[in-house]
Amino acid sequence: MNVVKHHERRIRKVCDFIDGHLDEALSLEELSSVGASSKFHFHRVFKSFMGISTIQYVLLARLKRASFRLAFEPEHSVTDVAFEAHFESLEGFSRAFSRNFGQTPSQFRKQPNWPSWHSKYEFNPPKIGDRVMDVKVVEFCETQVALIEHKGSPKLVYNTAAKFIDWRKSTGLSPVKTSHTYGVPYSDPADTVEDEFRFDICGVHQGNVPKNAFGVKSGVIPGGRCAVAVHKGSHDLISDTVYYLYRNWLPESGEELRDFPCFFHYVNLVHEVDECDLITHIYLPIR
């Protein structure tokens, strides 16, 4: 079977599952299981093929059913349609409907703008461009680290990074000049509810981390095979390289993902060099 088609069939299976279970709570764990993918990678694999996140797809699937109710079943009130679509209030439903379709539910019920509506269901993967990246497969050795967990808004990661730098400076452990620095995002910050986003900032450190006021603790980045690509420039554009691995390299490689997130090795840091000179190695764990 064509490997790309194999991945597409997995994603189609997930979409069909969502479409058939709109009245249920759909968790990332359940959907990744349906797609036979690690929960650490599923959201990016899905988005690389569909162009939207699973959360957005679920929302649009529920709004599609709501649209049909509004257009063809006048016996259902707008409030009933809103609650069926899993909204807690009519106001929230109206905002979401208007944001996606450019019409309020009442306007759509009276005169649906079907051409605009259809355009929302023409899913397209993110554009990666015509570039070809050099991707290598390496054996990553298990690495003991000191880490600090960032939980919450991705926009506040630098606050947590500052704490980790202060810990390094005050203790002399995992010195930045001689110890590699890693970042481990447990999900895509663009598609994760802020309260659920986790990003570990790590520095190589052997042995236990002494108890400290910064919240730094011991951890391990597991060893194993990894695909590695080099990202050059701003960290704000790192997702371009990440999605190249998921959408371009992975399907063609025939490789399967391991149950650990992709992670970054920061060869240099934002306070050391100009942004255009930043170099980041992106590791995609594979079996």
Side-chain angles (χ1 to χ4, degrees), residues 217-267:
K217 59 185 180 181
S218 300
V220 173
I221 299 177
R225 296 175 70 240
C226 292
V228 186
V230 178
H231 176 81
K232 297 180 180 179
S234 173
H235 292 165
D236 294 338
L237 302 176
I238 210 165
S239 62
D240 292 349
T241 305
V242 171
Y243 274 105
Y244 178 92
L245 285 170
Y246 280 101
R247 176 159 183 80
N248 294 49
W249 181 84
L250 181 63
E252 295 294 342
S253 71
E255 300 284 358
E256 293 288 336
L257 295 164
R258 276 193 287 126
D259 196 30
F260 189 77
C262 68
F263 57 96
F264 311 143
H265 168 210
Y266 301 109
V267 177

Side-chain angles (χ1 to χ4, degrees), residues 63 66 70 78 81-82 85 87 89-98 105:
L63 288 178
L70 293 169
V78 176
V81 173
F87 284 86
S89 69
L90 177 59
E91 291 76 14
F93 172 66
S94 296
R95 284 195 300 271
F97 197 95
S98 300

Side-chain angles (χ1 to χ4, degrees), residues 62-83:
R62 287 172 173 158
L63 288 178
K64 177 185 281 189
R65 182 176 63 176
S67 301
F68 295 146
R69 291 273 194 269
L70 293 169
F72 306 124
E73 300 181 18
E75 65 273 18
H76 290 282
S77 71
V78 176
T79 299
D80 289 341
V81 173
F83 289 143

